[in-house]
Amino acid sequence: MLVSLTVQNYALIKRLRVDFTKGYSVITGETGAGKSILLGALGLVLGNRADLSNLKDKDKKCVIEAEFEIGAYDLSKIFENLELDYESSTIVRRELLPNGKTRAFVNDTPVNLKALQGLKEYLLDIHSQHNTMALSDKTYQYYVVDALAGNTTLLSDYKVALKDYKKAVKELAVLKANQQEAQQQYEYNLHLYKELQTAKLKEVDEIETLEADIEKLSHAEDIKIGLFDSLQVSTEEQIGLQTLLNQLQTSLSKIAPFDAEYKLIHERAKSLKIELDDLVFELEKHAEGVEANPEELELLNNRLSLLFDLQKKHFVTSLEELIAVRDQLAIKVGQVEDAADLLKDAEQNVKNKEKATFAIATKISTNRKKIVANFKKELESILSKLGMENAQFNVAIQTTKELSEYGIDDVAFMLASNKGSDFGLLKKVASGGELSRVMLGIKMILSKFVSLPTILFDEIDTGVSGEVATKIADLMKAMGENMQVITITHLPQVASKGQQHYKVYKQVEGQETITYLTQLDAKERVNEIAEMLGGKEKSQSAIEHAEQLLSI
């Protein structure tokens, strides 16, 4: 509940602090005294848009602070979801700076406006005459019915299921579109894929290998001549390298025993001889293997030309990129060839998710229909007490075959205001005063189901008087047994029912007008209600009437 409100430098308020208590409280005051200022301050601290014109002193900042006692309302999870620090005694502060910037704090932690607005609906419900128009809004009608039906968890599950279902439908549509486009390209892609598959692309360095082999075959005669010349130099019987090295080795072997250095030289000569013999063996092997082969050279050249042509055709510059193109074409071709299975799986997925979503929506619909009779009976009873004795209320629920954000129901509030009249849509047949009373009745019923710490009614009793006003006050006082109810009113019947009574007034101090809000004691309440009954000149009868109202 709202424990206290502190306002500094806002509109006509210089500085004020007011403490509130549980139960049913009323706020009264003359027209223009500043009740709207109080509502504006509450709205600002809970995230409404700020306006520099609201600064009383343009050179100083405006500070509005509200303290809420919320320990009994299990809001810790809400704070966690909004990434706010939870305290059972929560303080919300909003600052409007002279430069137009604003700052917001929850329990002294800076927060953004979105978080503040997200928290608002769990702390305070400000209901003005304008809010009766919410009864005409489909979203609000679903909210009321679902709150009474206890559909909160089911609705959360439904939103997730509906999102998944819509995602599956979208994915199916994309798949169909892609497959249609792929089918159109299938023959061409298949031709390209088979061409690359026929090419049997291998390792990414095949081109380098081909170029090297072609280079060798193109110079086969030169290579063969070079190898045979080398062999002749090495093996010629009279002056070949092998013969000369044999002679060198023989000569050195004769002197090797005489000195260690000679022996080492002899060993080196032997090593040269071994290395030369190995070299000659390699020359002989290569010489035997080298020969001109025009057919193989032609094959290699054709293979290289094919690879270069394919690269050019697919606008790539390497064999690696060409292999990637082949693999991508394989996927595209495969998608079309596997289209039937993919499409079948996607369609089945949509059906499964649709079935699951409908199952949840059906439970929601069943719960809604179960509460209609009791809702109708209870609201009609309240309306009867509020002077609408012959009014009949109904919630028309028509089940559809389409899934919407609200489920599978089309919900409409219906009203027959007078005996014998036909039901019509509430927004079309109810007057402003009737809408106010219907809204009050719905709020009272909701207060038993929705855990809201505080509700503030702003002149919801406008347009009524006499016994009806007294009944409205009784209803709001009854609501105050379950929650904190604060009512701004001009009616003495409503004001007299308050367990606490606050007065808004303004007075001129020097060159400025200042608005104040103060709690009235018993004597002050008598005078205030007497003024509401008879004006500034309080007659004795007005005072007696006020005392009588307060004693009831």
Side-chain angles (χ1 to χ4, degrees):
M1 71 173 194
L2 178 62
V3 176
S4 67
L5 177 68
T6 302
V7 183
Q8 179 180 324
N9 195 36
Y10 180 79
L12 295 180
I13 298 174
K14 198 170 188 177
R15 179 176 179 83
L16 71 78
R17 174 190 168 91
V18 59
D19 297 322
F20 295 93
T21 60
K22 62 182 181 180
Y24 175 49
S25 301
V26 297
I27 299 174
T28 61
E30 296 179 356
T31 301
K35 296 186 291 296
S36 61
I37 294 175
L38 182 64
L39 288 174
L42 276 170
L44 185 61
V45 78
L46 290 174
N48 287 358
R49 185 176 179 180
D51 188 341
L52 268 178
S53 64
N54 287 323
L55 289 176
K56 180 173 179 60
D57 186 336
K58 306 300 182 184
D59 297 323
K60 296 180 180 179
K61 70 178 179 179
C62 161
V63 179
I64 303 173
E65 185 173 281
E67 181 181 358
F68 296 89
E69 183 55 56
I70 56 174
Y73 297 94
D74 192 26
L75 297 180
S76 57
K77 190 67 177 178
I78 303 300
F79 275 70
E80 182 181 336
N81 292 339
L82 293 172
E83 299 182 350
L84 301 175
D85 295 330
Y86 172 78
E87 297 287 347
S88 59
S89 180
T90 284
I91 297 176
V92 181
R93 187 171 79 255
R94 186 91 180 272
E95 298 179 356
L96 173 58
L97 307 179
N99 61 8
K101 293 184 179 180
T102 66
R103 298 184 297 189
F105 304 84
V106 174
N107 296 322
D108 284 330
T109 299
V111 299
N112 58 38
L113 208 56
K114 185 177 180 180
L116 198 59
Q117 292 168 343
L119 187 61
K120 173 184 176 179
E121 62 179 291
Y122 299 99
L123 299 179
L124 180 65
D125 179 8
I126 299 178
H127 180 80
S128 64
Q129 298 173 57
H130 174 72
N131 293 123
T132 57
M133 298 308 297
L135 282 173
S136 303
D137 183 59
K138 282 284 187 184
T139 300
Y140 186 75
Q141 292 179 4
Y142 281 103
Y143 163 74
V144 171
V145 173
D146 287 323
L148 301 180
N151 279 336
T152 303
T153 301
L154 281 173
L155 283 169
S156 179
D157 294 341
Y158 175 76
K159 287 180 181 178
V160 174
L162 183 63
K163 183 179 180 180
D164 289 344
Y165 167 64
K166 288 182 176 180
K167 181 181 178 182
V169 170
K170 185 176 180 180
E171 288 174 347
L172 176 60
V174 171
L175 180 61
K176 286 181 176 179
N178 288 344
Q179 287 184 349
Q180 183 177 3
E181 181 181 352
Q183 185 66 47
Q184 294 172 349
Q185 295 290 324
Y186 174 69
E187 295 299 333
Y188 180 61
N189 287 337
L190 181 62
H191 166 72
L192 294 177
Y193 173 65
K194 285 184 175 179
E195 186 178 50
L196 289 174
Q197 195 177 36
T198 302
K200 296 180 180 180
L201 305 177
K202 302 174 183 177
E203 67 280 355
V204 295
D205 60 349
E206 182 184 1
I207 288 178
E208 289 81 355
T209 302
L210 284 170
E211 289 175 335
D213 290 344
I214 289 171
E215 180 74 11
K216 187 165 64 174
L217 280 173
S218 299
H219 298 84
E221 289 299 331
D222 293 336
I223 294 172
K224 193 166 186 178
I225 291 172
L227 288 171
F228 276 108
D229 287 347
S230 298
L231 280 171
Q232 186 174 6
V233 169
S234 301
T235 60
E236 206 276 328
E237 186 174 348
Q238 295 299 323
I239 57 172
L241 292 175
Q242 282 184 321
T243 300
L244 295 176
L245 272 176
N246 283 335
Q247 293 175 0
L248 175 64
Q249 183 181 349
T250 300
S251 299
L252 290 174
S253 66
K254 293 177 181 179
I255 64 173
F258 303 127
D259 190 281
E261 289 188 5
Y262 299 156
K263 184 177 181 181
L264 181 59
I265 292 172
H266 176 247
E267 292 296 328
R268 290 172 65 186
K270 286 173 65 178
S271 296
L272 285 173
K273 179 62 170 58
I274 293 171
E275 181 65 24
L276 180 60
D277 290 344
D278 186 63
L279 178 61
V280 169
F281 176 78
E282 289 292 329
L283 290 172
E284 289 173 342
K285 183 175 70 172
H286 283 289
E288 292 174 1
V290 174
E291 63 180 61
N293 190 335
E295 293 81 6
E296 184 179 356
L297 180 60
E298 184 178 4
L299 287 174
L300 292 178
N301 276 317
N302 290 340
R303 174 67 176 175
L304 187 62
S305 295
L306 172 65
L307 295 179
F308 281 137
D309 288 344
L310 288 173
Q311 286 183 10
K312 185 177 180 181
K313 183 174 185 177
H314 292 281
F315 303 100
V316 297
T317 57
S318 70
L319 192 58
E320 183 178 11
E321 291 175 301
L322 195 61
I323 291 172
V325 170
R326 179 199 64 191
D327 294 342
Q328 290 169 3
L329 286 169
I331 293 173
K332 290 181 179 179
V333 170
Q335 282 178 338
V336 176
E337 294 175 346
D338 298 336
D341 291 336
L342 289 173
L343 197 59
K344 184 178 178 181
D345 290 343
E347 288 173 340
Q348 187 60 49
N349 185 43
V350 168
K351 289 180 180 178
N352 292 341
K353 292 189 180 300
E354 183 182 35
K355 183 178 179 180
T357 308
F358 260 105
I360 301 173
T362 301
K363 291 179 182 178
I364 292 172
S365 178
T366 300
N367 289 346
R368 287 168 175 167
K369 292 171 182 176
K370 284 180 180 178
I371 60 92
V372 169
N374 285 337
F375 181 28
K376 166 185 169 66
K377 182 179 178 181
E378 191 170 357
L379 184 56
E380 286 177 352
S381 175
I382 294 172
L383 293 177
S384 179
K385 296 174 183 178
L386 297 179
M388 297 174 66
E389 295 85 356
N390 297 314
Q392 289 183 289
F393 178 81
N394 192 32
V395 180
I397 300 179
Q398 183 177 356
T399 302
T400 67
K401 295 182 180 180
E402 299 295 327
L403 290 167
S404 73
E405 60 179 307
Y406 305 111
I408 53 173
D409 294 325
D410 182 23
V411 172
F413 284 3
M414 312 293 290
L415 184 70
S417 301
N418 304 302
K419 196 169 186 178
S421 61
D422 295 329
F423 277 103
L425 289 174
L426 180 65
K427 64 180 180 180
K428 291 186 177 181
V429 301
S431 66
E434 288 171 338
L435 281 174
S436 292
R437 281 175 273 180
V438 172
M439 177 61 93
L440 178 59
I442 289 176
K443 291 279 188 179
M444 182 175 183
I445 295 170
L446 276 177
S447 68
K448 302 174 185 178
F449 294 86
V450 179
S451 181
L452 184 67
T454 301
I455 185 168
L456 192 155
F457 290 109
D458 178 24
E459 300 183 9
I460 195 173
D461 46 24
T462 298
V464 299
S465 59
E467 186 62 24
V468 174
T470 301
K471 293 296 184 181
I472 288 177
D474 288 335
L475 285 176
M476 290 190 287
K477 186 174 182 179
M479 288 177 64
E481 295 175 5
N482 301 317
M483 62 191 301
Q484 184 186 45
V485 178
I486 301 172
T487 300
I488 296 174
T489 181
H490 284 292
L491 297 181
Q493 298 95 325
V494 175
S496 65
K497 298 287 184 177
Q499 295 165 290
Q500 297 83 34
H501 190 155
Y502 302 86
K503 180 177 181 178
V504 177
Y505 64 96
K506 62 183 180 182
Q507 63 184 37
V508 177
E509 297 180 5
Q511 299 299 314
E512 59 182 350
T513 302
I514 300 176
T515 289
Y516 292 96
L517 176 67
T518 185
Q519 185 172 359
L520 303 180
D521 59 25
K523 184 177 180 180
E524 290 170 332
R525 288 194 73 183
V526 172
N527 289 330
E528 176 66 9
I529 292 175
E531 277 191 23
M532 295 173 73
L533 288 166
K536 288 287 186 179
E537 301 297 329
K538 298 180 287 291
S539 64
Q540 185 60 36
S541 61
I543 292 175
E544 290 174 356
H545 190 186
E547 290 174 340
Q548 183 182 7
L549 285 173
L550 287 168
S551 64
I552 294 176

